[in-house]
Amino acid sequence: MKEEEIKKKVNIAYIDAANLNSAVKSQGWELDYKRFRIWLSDKYKVERAYIFIGFITKYKDLYTHLQECGFTLVFRDVVYINAGKVKGNCDADLLMAASKDLYEGELAKAVIVAS
């Protein structure tokens, strides 16, 4: 096998932003995303951390902040239901990305944050 054909397996986090946000808020907390990213690296040796998030233009500053904290954003179009409530439905995209990384031999271990 050629050297370039050997893929390094890494630990990857797959995070559903809406589920994480609602769980944290339900406890009355506010999440420090920079510290969360460091914690994922320190505790689970996560080299890549994907956040699956619905795209809403007014949150562009949040998206920039998440990228600066070391997250890779995976955007999903949102739909509006029940009097304007936003729904992103990122669960399927998260699962497919983890499955793809596993199938392609890139995934050593996964950390999944979802409901």
Side-chain angles (χ1 to χ4, degrees), residues 5-46:
E5 292 177 3
I6 300 172
K7 289 187 179 182
K8 179 184 174 202
K9 291 186 178 190
V10 295
N11 295 349
I12 304 172
Y14 304 90
I15 303 159
D16 183 320
N19 292 152
L20 175 61
N21 185 51
S22 64
V24 168
K25 283 190 173 190
S26 75
Q27 298 300 309
W29 302 336
E30 187 173 324
L31 184 62
D32 180 332
Y33 285 97
K34 188 166 188 75
R35 290 187 68 194
F36 179 54
R37 181 63 181 95
I38 292 167
W39 180 79
L40 287 168
S41 295
D42 291 349
K43 178 138 178 109
Y44 296 106
K45 308 297 183 231
V46 167

Side-chain angles (χ1 to χ4, degrees), residues 7 23 56 73:
K7 289 187 179 182
I56 302 173
L73 277 59

Side-chain angles (χ1 to χ4, degrees), residues 44-71:
Y44 296 106
K45 308 297 183 231
V46 167
E47 292 189 31
R48 281 188 267 163
Y50 295 111
I51 290 190
F52 294 80
I53 191 166
F55 183 79
I56 302 173
T57 306
K58 69 180 181 181
Y59 294 122
K60 65 181 180 190
D61 292 339
L62 170 64
Y63 306 144
T64 300
H65 175 67
L66 292 171
Q67 289 174 322
E68 290 170 348
C69 291
F71 294 97

